[in-house]
Structures are given as structure tokens and as C-alpha cells.
Amino acid sequence: MKGLTLQPEMETSERYFLLRGDIELLTNNPNGRFADVLSLFGTTDYLMQQSIVPVVAWLEGEAAIRCIGTASIISCTGYVITAGHVLLDPLEAGYGATRIGGKVQHREDLNFGVMIPYMAPVGGIYFAKAFRFFPFEKMWAWGEWKQSPLLHEDDRWEYLTDVAVCKIQEMPNGQAHQPLNMSLNPFVPGEEAYSLGYAEMPDIQINPETGGIADSTFRLNIYVTAGNILNTFPQNHMAREVSTPGPCFDFNARVPGKMSGAPIFGAQGAVIRGVVSRSFSGEEHAYGSMLGPAMELPLDEPEVRGRSLRTLLEHGNEGISQVHGVGL
């Protein structure tokens, strides 16, 4: 396991900053496969963008990609965690989904998933940063539809937790996604918490005919924010002490829009203990959903029963990191 030092791009005393791109190598013993080396060597921000990714959506023929939130890759095979309300954006914003019965049905021309940068060859030995789009193949969010007592209001989704799980395709050419480490242990008040995500990321202008990025100045910017845990609400799914759904916590960090679903790290940045659920514009106060309780929730499919993030981790078939001593 290789640690990365998160430094601001410009000198600042603030605990919210744009991540600087220092050159790093994640291993001293690469396997010799050229494509793998390119995913393990690069600037700090590029390497973090292999694991912390923007959630995006656009309809075929549109001239811009909507940037919705942030997600984290947690397995070599492409399991991802984000916030449940990020997944409902195409429905709630009315551009790409409808509700049929108890299920959300996406439009066939909707592209909904994450973007991951990679180094593409540009003749000879030169390389340039490009982006792969990985659509969500499967999605899990937990809760139920609640009917409004008001005739003019639509039914609303009541979350059991704001943690959601998605599955994207595996990397091409037998490569592995770069997963982050998860923890079952909860935060405690006073503990320092860190979050990384795509704060206030603008929509991306594209060529509607080719799908290529039309803005030559476009750059993925990953921001770091830090704060201390103020309170924890482990029984919030029953006591409803705060409006953030399910077991949660709050911390005094600046968390702008588009960081919804971003990982919240504990143990000095070693493990994910939650995801960003709710924040307040211009304030250093945000809420996160606890990851630990969501590890037990079912990832059932018609052909497979009894799966959860916990069982996927324990069985070891998906390449989910197990870190002993700091959270597992």
C-alpha cells in the first residue's frame, strides 16, 4: 500500500484546496505491462482520479455533459459507491428517467455513469490525457416510495440511507480498477475527517456528433476538504434526529456542490468511513452517511441472493481491499 501526500496547488492555510499534481509512482515493482504502469505512475491528482471519479450524465445529441456528483471505486472489478440522491438526479431533475411502478426507468438514450482519465498514445512515445466513460450497469439504493398527502405533489423516495452502490464495466485489456479501502468502524466526535471530490465542477462541452470534449481548456479538478467530526447519529434511521437519511454524522468542513457522494476518509486518510450526503452553501458544515451499516444491505439480483458489500469483501472475488488494524 502506497500513501499519497495531498498538497495544495497554491500555498494556503485553509483546509479546503485544489489538489496539487506532484509526480508519484504507486509501486516499486510494476508488473511490466505497459498499460498497468500508466495507471500506477503519474501526478497525485491523476492517480487519485483513478479511484475518485465524477458522476456524469447526458442524452445522445446534447452539447454538454452534466456533472452531478462524485463516486469512489471500491473494487478491482468496478463496484462504486456514491450518494443515493446522486442516482436519482435523472428522475428528480426530469431529463433522463421516469418512474414506472416502484422502479426508475432510464431513457435508452441516457448515458449515466462515471469518467476515468487515462493516458492515450499520441504517436511515437508521446501520451495525452484522455477520458473513458463507464456507464452504470447496475445500481442499488435502499428506501421506499412515500405518497404525498397533497394531490399536486409527486410521490417521493424516502431513503433508508444515502449510501448507494453501482457496478461499472471492468477495465479494458485485463487491467484492474484502483480501489480505495473501506472501514466498518464509525467515526467518533473530534476525529479528523477528509473528503475529496469534484467541487463545483462545471458541465463539460462536447461535440454532439462525435461525443468528444469540445472545450480545449477542460480539466478535471479534484478538491480536498478537511474538518473534525462534531456529532454522530447511529440510530438516525429510527430516531430521525437530523434530516440526513439513515445513520450519519456531521463535520465542520467546507463541502461545495458536486461533492455529493464523495468519500469521507478517517484513520488519517487510510479508509473510507462515509460518503458526503448534504452540505450548506458557504458554510463549514456538512453531513455524511455512515458506510458501516450500508455494508450489510442486500445487493440482491434475480440469479444471486444474499450478497452485500460485506460478503463481497469477505469472499475476495471482486478485489475489494481489506486493511487490518485501521478499520477492518
Side-chain angles (χ1 to χ4, degrees):
M1 197 167 65
K2 172 72 163 60
L4 295 175
T5 302
L6 306 181
Q7 299 285 353
E9 188 163 276
M10 300 178 63
E11 289 299 323
T12 176
S13 60
E14 295 183 4
R15 304 185 75 192
Y16 169 81
F17 55 85
L18 177 63
L19 182 60
R20 191 171 76 196
D22 296 330
I23 298 293
E24 296 275 1
L25 177 64
L26 289 188
T27 176
N28 293 325
N29 298 290
N31 64 16
R33 293 177 55 180
F34 192 64
D36 286 348
V37 172
L38 288 178
S39 69
L40 298 171
F41 170 81
T43 59
T44 305
D45 56 345
Y46 171 76
L47 293 172
M48 293 305 303
Q49 288 162 3
Q50 302 301 302
S51 305
I52 300 173
V53 293
V55 179
V56 298
W58 79 98
L59 295 171
E60 298 290 344
E62 287 188 336
I65 297 174
R66 295 175 174 85
C67 298
I68 301 170
T70 302
S72 307
I73 296 174
I74 56 168
S75 84
C76 292
T77 57
Y79 279 92
V80 172
I81 56 173
T82 186
H85 72 268
V86 169
L87 295 189
L88 279 186
D89 189 77
L91 175 68
E92 294 183 342
Y95 62 83
T98 56
R99 180 187 162 199
I100 301 177
K103 295 185 177 182
V104 175
Q105 182 69 44
H106 290 125
R107 287 178 47 168
E108 291 186 359
D109 58 348
L110 175 69
N111 298 284
F112 188 31
V114 301
M115 283 174 42
I116 303 178
Y118 72 102
M119 301 307 294
V122 187
I125 61 172
Y126 296 99
F127 291 82
K129 184 185 286 188
F131 301 92
R132 291 189 180 103
F133 171 70
F134 290 82
F136 291 140
E137 297 181 326
K138 301 171 185 175
M139 293 171 274
W140 294 269
W142 294 274
E144 59 182 348
W145 293 102
K146 291 289 187 179
Q147 189 173 23
S148 171
L150 303 176
L151 295 177
H152 67 280
E153 287 187 353
D154 294 332
D155 296 348
R156 61 182 177 84
W157 178 256
E158 187 171 280
Y159 298 89
L160 178 63
T161 173
D162 205 16
V163 177
V165 179
C166 307
K167 178 67 171 66
I168 61 175
Q169 298 170 345
E170 296 186 18
M171 291 284 280
N173 304 316
Q175 292 177 258
H177 288 288
Q178 301 298 316
L180 298 171
N181 310 312
M182 298 184 294
S183 172
L184 297 175
N185 291 357
F187 279 113
V188 295
E191 183 178 355
E192 196 162 29
Y194 309 83
S195 185
L196 284 75
Y198 296 90
E200 300 177 335
M201 182 174 167
D203 290 349
I204 306 166
Q205 300 302 310
I206 59 173
N207 184 323
E209 295 182 359
T210 64
I213 295 176
D215 183 358
S216 60
T217 64
F218 168 72
R219 177 190 170 193
L220 275 185
N221 288 326
I222 194 165
Y223 285 83
V224 181
T225 188
N228 293 93
I229 300 299
L230 301 174
N231 302 284
T232 61
F233 309 95
Q235 301 300 318
N236 192 54
H237 55 300
M238 296 185 293
R240 302 186 187 278
E241 299 169 83
V242 294
S243 59
T244 298
C248 62
F249 53 88
D250 64 343
F251 62 121
N252 58 351
R254 178 184 171 190
V255 183
K258 308 297 178 71
M259 285 187 71
S260 288
I264 304 174
F265 296 90
Q268 298 183 335
V271 289
I272 302 174
R273 288 190 171 154
V275 302
V276 171
S277 177
R278 192 162 64 97
S279 60
F280 304 91
S281 179
E283 297 184 24
E284 291 189 351
H285 188 206
Y287 282 84
S289 289
M290 291 182 180
L291 180 59
M295 295 281 287
E296 310 291 344
L297 294 172
L299 300 174
D300 287 343
E301 299 179 62
E303 66 278 10
V304 183
R305 295 291 179 184
R307 291 193 314 165
S308 66
L309 286 182
R310 180 69 176 265
T311 64
L312 293 180
L313 183 148
E314 291 174 344
H315 293 166
N317 296 329
E318 305 294 337
I320 298 180
S321 303
Q322 297 192 46
V323 182
H324 299 279
V326 293
L328 290 179

